[in-house]
Amino acid sequence: QVQLVESGGGLVQPGGSLRLSCAASGSIFSINRMGWYRQAPGKERELVARITSSRTNYADSVKGRFTISTDNAKNTWYLQMNNLNPEDTAVYYCNAHIQPLGTATYIYWGQGTQVTVSS
């Protein structure tokens, strides 16, 4: 059974930094289109960053401040968040297109991790 486990959220002051991690575990054949989404109270879930084998995409609101990266050997991807501001406060979710051994590809989601930016 494939699972995504997130870590790294917390409370940070404006201007601070956090790094989120998402580790995929289970019987995995391949992982593609790894990404991070966020959902603030009263708002819809939105794409923050996504990485594929050929490109990286960022929401306009985080360009130049957030960086998505991967460690394929560990089936893990990261979101480095710098110069955080209160508008970045949200629950952050990782996701990926994962093909478990012997089955088709499905979209998996992490459980979410809270990021709060406040003084």
Side-chain angles (χ1 to χ4, degrees):
Q1 183 176 356
V2 174
Q3 287 186 319
L4 303 187
V5 178
E6 302 175 22
S7 60
L11 173 64
V12 64
Q13 292 186 341
S17 298
L18 284 174
R19 188 175 85 151
L20 305 182
S21 300
C22 183
S25 63
S27 299
I28 297 170
F29 177 72
S30 67
I31 303 178
N32 292 291
R33 301 188 68 180
M34 294 161 277
W36 291 93
Y37 288 71
R38 67 186 180 186
Q39 187 166 19
K43 295 186 177 181
E44 294 186 353
R45 190 174 298 189
E46 63 173 355
L47 175 67
V48 176
R50 180 168 54 213
I51 187 168
T52 69
S53 58
S54 59
R55 65 189 301 175
T56 303
N57 298 98
Y58 295 94
D60 288 342
S61 60
V62 307
K63 283 181 181 177
R65 300 188 298 122
F66 291 11
T67 302
I68 187 171
S69 62
T70 66
D71 185 338
N72 294 329
K74 296 181 179 179
N75 287 341
T76 300
W77 54 105
Y78 307 93
L79 185 68
Q80 177 67 44
M81 306 185 293
N82 298 328
N83 194 20
L84 286 158
N85 59 61
E87 290 70 39
D88 297 316
T89 296
V91 178
Y92 284 71
Y93 299 89
C94 63
N95 87 333
H97 293 225
I98 298 176
Q99 184 179 10
L101 291 172
T103 73
T105 298
Y106 299 93
I107 299 175
Y108 290 84
W109 290 87
Q111 79 283 5
T113 186
Q114 177 70 46
V115 172
T116 302
V117 185
S118 175
S119 56

